[in-house]
Amino acid sequence: MSTNIRVLPEAGFTSYAPGAGDKSNVRWFVCGLLFLATTINYMDRSVLALVEPLLHKLAFMGWDPALDNAHQTLFNNNYGNIIICFQIAYGIGFLIAGGVIDRLGTKIGYACAIALWAVSSMSHAFVYSVLGFCIARAMLGLGESGNFPAAIKATTEWFPSEERSFATGLFNSGSNVSFFVAPTLVAFVTTKWGWQAAFITTGSMGLIWLVIWLIFPYNRLRRGSTQTQANLAADFKNHAGAGGAVPYSVLLRRPGLYAFAVCKGLTDPVWWFYLFYLPKFLNETYGLDPQHAKWEIVTVYMVSSFGSIFGGAISGWRMKLGHSVNSGRKFAMLLCAVLVTPIVFVPHLGSLFPTNAWPATLVIALAAAAHQGWSATLFATPTDMFPSTAVSSVVGIGGAAGAGGGAIFTWIVKHYFSLHPLLIFALAASAYLVSLAIFQILVPRLGPSQPPRPNSRPGDQPLFKPA
C-alpha cells in the first residue's frame, strides 16, 4: 500500500492516517511506556502529600501540637510555600522543556527530563530544612515539566487524530493509577524505614524506566506523518526554523495557543488541589491519617483512571461515527465540564455526614474522573492545530499557564481552605465551563469543516481546508 502523502498548499485536515494498514501495534507499546512514565511522574510528586502528617514531627516545619488543625498557620505557610516552589519551577520548566524537546526530539528530550526528576525526587530524603525541601521540589518541578510535552509529542508521532485523545487518556490514566499504588507503597515503606524511604523508592523507579526508554529503538520504528500533520506542517513551513521547529513568535500569533493555555491555566489548578490537599482534607475534616484514608484516596484515583480512558475515547468515538473533530472534541469537553459541577456540594456533605467520608469521597471521585476526561481531550487539541514540530512548545506554554494558575490557586487555598472550603469548591466547580466558553470564543471551529466519510478508505479521504 502506498504511503505517499499529498499536501495542500494551504493547511488541511483529515482525521485519518495515510494508510490504515501501516498502523503498527508498536504504537501501543509506546503508549505503555508513556503510561509508566506518567505513573512514576505523579508518584514522585504525590509523595510529599502522602507523608504530610509525618512532617508534623519535624520541628523545622513549624507544627504546634497545642493548636488545632485549622489554626496551624506556620506549618500551613511552610507546606504551602514548598508546594508553590514546585509549581513555579514546574511552570518555568514547561517554557524551557517544550522548545528543548521540539529541538532534541522526543527520545532524547524525554530521557533528559526523567533523569532530572528521578534524581531530584530521591534528593528529598537528604534535606533537613524548609529551604532544602523548596530546592528539592523546585528541581523536581523542572524535571517533571518535560513529561507531558514529550508524551503528547509522542502520541502525535505514533497515532492518527481519531486515536490521539484515547491514547492520551490511556497514558494520562497513569496519573490516577499512581494514586492507586502510591498510598499503599508509601504507607508500607514509611512504616518500615521512615518518610525518607518513600522518596528514594519512587525516584529509583524513574531510573529503571530510563534504561528501558534508552534501549527502545524509538526513532527507527516511528511511523510516518498523518495527513493532518502533513498538512499542518505545510501550513507552518514558511515559518519553521532548523529541523522544522516553529518559533515562539509564530506560535504566539495563533489563537489556538491562547485557547489551550487559558484552559490549562483555569483547570489544572483544580487537579493540583486534589493532588496536594485531598489527604489533608480527609485528615482535617474526618480525622483520617494516611493509613486510614488509604481506601478513600485509592477510590478517587481509581475512578479517575476510568474517567481518563473513557473521557479520552469519547471524541474519537464520535469522529468514527462521522462527527467532525470540532464536534467530537468539544462534546467530550462539555460533558466533562458538567460532570465536575457537583463538587460544590462537598463542604455540605462534611456537615451532613461528619463521621462518614464516603459521600464526599465519591463526589470528589466523579469530579476527578471528569477532570481527567477533560484533560485527555484538551491535550489532543494542539495536535489538531499545530504540526508535531511545534506540539511540545504549545503543550509547554499551556503547562506553564497551568502551573502558574496552580501556584495562584494554592495561595488562595492555603489562606482560605481551612475556614472557607465552600469558596474553594465553588471555584473548582465553575472552572471548566468558563474555560470551555473561552475556548469556543477563541477557536470556534477546531479541525476539519466537515467530518470525513465513515467507512471509506484513508486514501479516499478528501483534504478539507480549515474554516
Side-chain angles (χ1 to χ4, degrees), residues 15 21 27 137 191 209 226 231 235 237 243 276 279 321 370 392 425 427 431 458 467:
S15 61
R27 71 191 189 281
R137 294 308 282 182
T191 299
W209 184 94
T226 64
N231 291 329
D235 183 36
K237 183 177 180 180
F276 291 120
L321 289 178
S392 287
F425 284 105
L427 291 174

Side-chain angles (χ1 to χ4, degrees), residues 73-84:
T73 304
L74 181 57
F75 178 88
N76 289 338
N77 187 64
N78 287 334
Y79 184 73
N81 287 338
I82 292 169
I83 294 173
I84 289 173

Side-chain angles (χ1 to χ4, degrees), residues 185-444:
L185 178 63
V186 169
F188 174 77
V189 298
T190 54
T191 299
K192 281 188 168 292
W193 299 292
W195 63 266
Q196 295 92 338
F199 291 102
I200 294 175
T201 300
T202 59
S204 64
M205 292 179 179
L207 297 180
I208 294 172
W209 184 94
L210 177 61
V211 173
I212 299 172
W213 180 254
L214 291 175
I215 292 173
F216 175 67
Y218 181 96
N219 292 321
R220 182 168 62 83
L221 297 179
R222 198 183 91 190
R223 68 191 310 278
S225 298
T226 64
Q227 186 66 68
T228 297
Q229 282 298 306
N231 291 329
L232 284 168
D235 183 36
F236 282 81
K237 183 177 180 180
N238 293 333
H239 306 291
V246 181
Y248 282 114
S249 59
V250 175
L251 298 178
L252 290 171
R253 295 200 295 268
R254 300 284 175 139
L257 171 66
Y258 296 98
F260 179 73
V262 167
C263 286
K264 293 289 288 179
L266 291 178
T267 61
D268 274 14
V270 181
W271 185 252
W272 291 108
F273 171 59
Y274 302 148
L275 178 64
F276 291 120
Y277 280 90
L278 178 58
K280 185 176 177 64
F281 168 74
L282 293 173
N283 179 256
E284 293 185 355
T285 305
Y286 300 100
L288 300 176
D289 60 24
Q291 185 63 33
H292 292 92
K294 178 175 63 179
W295 292 114
E296 284 82 357
I297 295 171
V298 165
T299 297
V300 168
Y301 294 107
M302 182 172 64
V303 173
S304 297
S305 295
F306 290 103
S308 180
I309 295 169
F310 291 109
I314 290 172
S315 62
W317 167 70
R318 284 179 63 83
M319 289 160 62
K320 289 178 180 178
L321 289 178
H323 293 274
S324 67
V325 172
N326 186 66
S327 172
R329 302 282 194 239
K330 291 180 180 176
F331 174 84
M333 292 168 71
L334 176 61
L335 178 61
C336 293
V338 171
L339 290 176
V340 170
T341 56
I343 200 172
V344 72
F345 299 113
V346 166
H348 300 295
L349 294 175
S351 300
L352 292 174
F353 306 96
T355 60
N356 184 0
W358 282 106
T361 297
L362 293 176
V363 173
I364 293 172
L366 174 64
H371 171 91
Q372 289 297 81
W374 163 279
S375 183
T377 307
L378 180 62
F379 268 130
T381 60
T383 71
D384 301 319
M385 300 183 287
F386 299 92
S388 62
T389 51
V391 164
S392 287
S393 297
V394 173
V395 173
I397 292 172
I408 294 171
F409 195 56
T410 298
W411 184 90
I412 296 172
V413 169
K414 80 172 185 176
H415 283 86
Y416 298 105
F417 181 53
S418 294
L419 298 177
H420 305 287
L422 180 60
L423 170 65
I424 304 304
F425 284 105
L427 291 174
S430 61
Y432 299 83
L433 289 172
V434 172
S435 297
L436 182 56
I438 295 172
F439 193 101
Q440 176 63 21
I441 292 170
L442 293 174
V443 185

